[in-house]
Amino acid sequence: MIILAATPIGNLKDASVRLVEALGAVGIVASEDTRVTQRLLAGLGVENRPRLIALHDHNERDRSAEVVELARETDVLVLSDAGMPTVSDPGFHLVEAAAAAGVGVTALPGPSAVITALAVSGLPTDRFTFEGFLPRKQGERMAAFRALAGERRTMVFFESPNRLAAALADLASVLGADRRVVVCRELTKMFEEVRRGSAAELAAWAADGVRGEICVVVDGAAATVVDLDSGVDQVLSLVAAGTRLKDAAAEVAEATGLGKRDLYQAALAARKADAGPAR
C-alpha cells in the first residue's frame, strides 16, 4: 500500500517511533527530495537503505502511475521534506491515483506546521481553515484576501519570509489594520518565535526583514450585527435566487449570528404573508 508519513518540521526528535520503524523496514521510499530523505535516515540512525524515488511537484503526475503499480506488490513510504505529504506538499495526485486504482492508502501521523501554529496562536481553534501558500503577485493576493473578507473561521496561511511584509500589508489593507494576526516563525526549531499583534503592527515589524519558515494565523471576521428583519430580508433574497429556505436561514445565521430557527420561522411567516389569503 501507499504509506504517507509525517516527518519533523524542525526538531528531529519529533520523529515518531512508527516513522523510524517504517524507515528501517520499507524497501521503497517516494520522497519530495531524496537528499533530504538521506539526511533524515542518517539523522535518525536508520541503517536500512531503501530504493529512493523522487516524487515532487514537477513530476508527481507523471510518476504516480508507476508508484501506484509498485504499491500493488509492496509498501511504498511517501515523504515530503517536512510535515505530512499532500498538505501543501506533493502526494495528493498520488493518493488520487491510488484510490482510483484500488490500492490501499494509510498514514503515519505526526508533526504538522498548520496544527502547531494554530495551537500556539491564541486565536480560536474550534473552527479553522487552511489556505496554503498565499499568491506571489500582489493583485492575486489582494483578491484572495477579498474572497476571505467574510470568513468567520480562524485562517492559517504559509508564506515566504521574503514576501511576509508585503502580504501582511495587503492583509491589513483588505481585512483591516486591526485584524488580529499571529506570525509563527521557525516552529519547533532553536529560534522559534511566535509574534502576536494587529495586522498593521506585524506588517511594520516584518518590514525590517524576517527569516525562516513562516506560518501566519489570522483571526476570523466578526459576525455582522443585523436585526432580525434585515436577516429575514437576506434569507428571502437567497431563496429568490434559488437557495432552499432551510439552507438560506443557516447561511444567514452563520454570517450574522442570528438564530437559525428564528430566521427560518420569520422568513416562513413573511412568505405566507406575501402570498396573501388563499382563494
Side-chain angles (χ1 to χ4, degrees):
M1 63 170 55
I2 299 289
I3 304 173
L4 306 172
T7 53
I9 60 175
N11 192 320
L12 199 61
K13 293 181 180 179
D14 290 334
S16 71
V17 173
R18 292 180 68 195
L19 172 63
V20 176
E21 290 177 346
L23 287 169
V26 77
I28 301 175
V29 174
S31 60
E32 183 177 8
D33 189 326
T34 57
R35 295 165 299 180
V36 172
T37 300
Q38 289 171 337
R39 291 196 293 270
L40 180 66
L41 290 166
L44 295 176
V46 175
E47 296 182 357
N48 181 36
R49 290 297 177 263
R51 174 188 172 189
L52 300 180
I53 299 174
L55 190 78
H56 46 71
D57 287 336
H58 302 294
N59 73 354
E60 183 182 357
R61 289 182 182 274
D62 294 332
R63 301 209 71 172
S64 287
E66 172 193 350
V67 176
V68 167
E69 288 307 307
L70 289 171
R72 290 188 187 276
E73 305 297 331
T74 187
D75 290 341
V76 177
L77 192 67
V78 180
L79 309 177
S80 60
D81 290 348
M84 177 62 74
T86 78
V87 182
S88 280
D89 274 326
F92 164 71
H93 296 296
L94 175 63
V95 173
E96 184 181 39
V103 172
V105 180
T106 190
L108 307 184
S112 165
V114 177
I115 300 301
T116 303
L118 180 69
V120 302
S121 69
L123 297 177
T125 59
D126 53 338
R127 299 179 69 239
F128 72 95
T129 174
F130 173 56
E131 298 295 328
F133 281 95
L134 285 163
R136 292 172 178 266
K137 297 181 179 179
Q138 184 182 32
E140 295 175 1
R141 191 165 57 233
M142 296 279 279
F145 284 137
R146 283 193 291 269
L148 292 167
E151 177 59 67
R152 298 274 304 282
R153 295 169 293 183
T154 300
M155 296 166 276
V156 184
F157 303 90
F158 288 160
E159 185 53 287
S160 160
N162 298 326
R163 295 191 298 271
L164 180 62
L168 290 173
D170 292 343
L171 189 157
S173 174
V174 176
L175 301 185
D178 294 331
R179 182 69 69 95
R180 290 195 297 169
V181 176
V182 181
V183 174
C184 301
R185 188 179 70 84
E186 293 290 87
L187 288 169
T188 77
K189 300 178 184 177
M190 181 180 296
F191 297 106
E192 176 179 295
E193 181 180 15
V194 178
R195 184 161 299 251
R196 303 175 179 87
S198 69
E201 290 169 343
L202 292 187
W205 161 75
D208 292 333
V210 178
R211 294 182 179 180
E213 300 287 333
I214 303 292
C215 284
V216 180
V217 188
V218 182
D219 199 11
T224 303
V225 180
V226 299
D227 58 30
L228 183 60
D229 288 342
S230 297
V232 170
D233 289 341
Q234 292 181 34
V235 171
L236 295 177
S237 294
L238 289 171
V239 170
T243 304
R244 290 195 315 160
L245 178 58
K246 183 178 180 181
D247 294 336
E251 182 176 335
V252 175
E254 172 66 21
T256 64
L258 293 170
K260 180 170 65 175
R261 182 180 177 82
D262 294 337
L263 285 165
Y264 180 85
Q265 295 291 353
L268 189 62
R271 289 179 70 186
K272 290 180 178 178
D274 289 342
R279 295 184 180 180

